[in-house]
Amino acid sequence: MLATGLQAAGAEAAGAPMAEAPFGLAWASKTDMPKPTLMDQEANITAMIYFYGHPPAIGVDTQEVVLDVCRDEGLQRVVWVSRILSVPERTDLYEQLLTEGVRRHGASRPGPYPRSVIWSTGVLLGVRETPGRGEQIVMVSEGDEFSRCSSRHREEAGHSAVNHVAELFQLLASRPPRIRSQAPASLPSVGQR
């Protein structure tokens, strides 16, 4: 189930409509994103990373936003990570996000990770632990070409792009290290993609 992405995991019926891209972005875009704080490129995916205070990572409860831009498919995944929250804060915010998710996307079902739910529109809401510090809420939205991008990523990198989200839900000590570029200006131009 993890190898097919959120869309297949959440959709009972094929062809379920995907949710709009968050933060006013457009799925498949390659150029309409703000300059990232950091970047990480692996095979066919460039992860554009934004920390709190740098759009689109705004809002008091935001720690980080990651935009996964695929070489051929453009923007295909948006990951929002909350700041570290106490249990009462996490409970309140999670309930707000779940209620809004149901309003926008309909009924959810249990997700592929502990304490996660998914919608057939390609959206996941979950909680990850940061041992000794608190918890974080993670929201992931995928575009309708993410499966194709992830398959290409498997061919080029030796693992599915879905693995990157799975890493977010592993305990901190067991997460593999990620190397992030310090040069956001090196984002490939449209002609290079």
Side-chain angles (χ1 to χ4, degrees):
M1 175 164 66
L2 293 179
T4 59
L6 301 179
Q7 299 162 17
E12 284 90 25
M18 293 291 102
E20 291 181 18
F23 309 114
L25 299 168
W27 294 127
S29 176
K30 294 182 183 179
T31 59
D32 295 337
M33 277 104 22
K35 184 177 178 178
T37 309
L38 297 174
M39 289 186 353
D40 182 11
Q41 184 163 6
E42 182 181 59
N44 65 319
I45 297 176
T46 300
M48 301 173 67
I49 303 153
Y50 305 84
F51 296 118
Y52 172 73
H54 301 275
I58 54 174
V60 68
D61 291 315
T62 301
Q63 176 176 302
E64 180 177 350
V65 171
V66 179
L67 307 180
D68 282 347
V69 181
C70 303
R71 181 177 51 237
D72 297 327
E73 296 82 11
L75 178 65
Q76 288 299 315
R77 182 164 56 196
V78 176
V79 179
W80 175 84
V81 181
S82 77
R83 65 182 173 83
I84 295 174
L85 303 163
S86 67
V87 172
E89 289 174 318
R90 191 264 308 150
T91 301
D92 290 346
L93 182 56
Y94 186 88
E95 287 303 316
Q96 291 172 22
L97 294 171
L98 182 60
T99 299
E100 182 63 14
V102 169
R103 185 186 74 73
R104 287 184 182 199
H105 310 294
S108 64
R109 63 181 214 157
Y113 313 108
R115 300 192 301 163
S116 71
V117 296
I118 53 175
W119 285 273
S120 62
T121 55
V123 176
L124 174 138
L125 174 65
V127 177
R128 76 179 199 168
E129 292 183 42
T130 56
R133 298 172 60 206
E135 298 177 323
Q136 291 178 294
I137 297 173
V138 177
M139 288 196 74
V140 181
S141 299
E142 294 177 352
D144 59 0
E145 294 294 322
F146 178 76
S147 293
R148 186 167 72 175
C149 174
S150 185
S151 294
R152 190 165 288 122
H153 192 72
R154 179 184 295 283
E155 293 168 9
E156 295 180 21
H159 60 270
S160 168
V162 175
N163 291 5
H164 299 182
V165 169
E167 290 171 4
L168 290 172
F169 290 94
Q170 294 175 1
L171 288 177
L172 191 59
S174 64
R175 285 186 211 143
R178 303 286 299 156
I179 298 171
R180 294 181 171 172
S181 167
Q182 297 289 330
S186 66
L187 180 66
S189 68
V190 175
Q192 293 176 303
R193 291 173 189 239

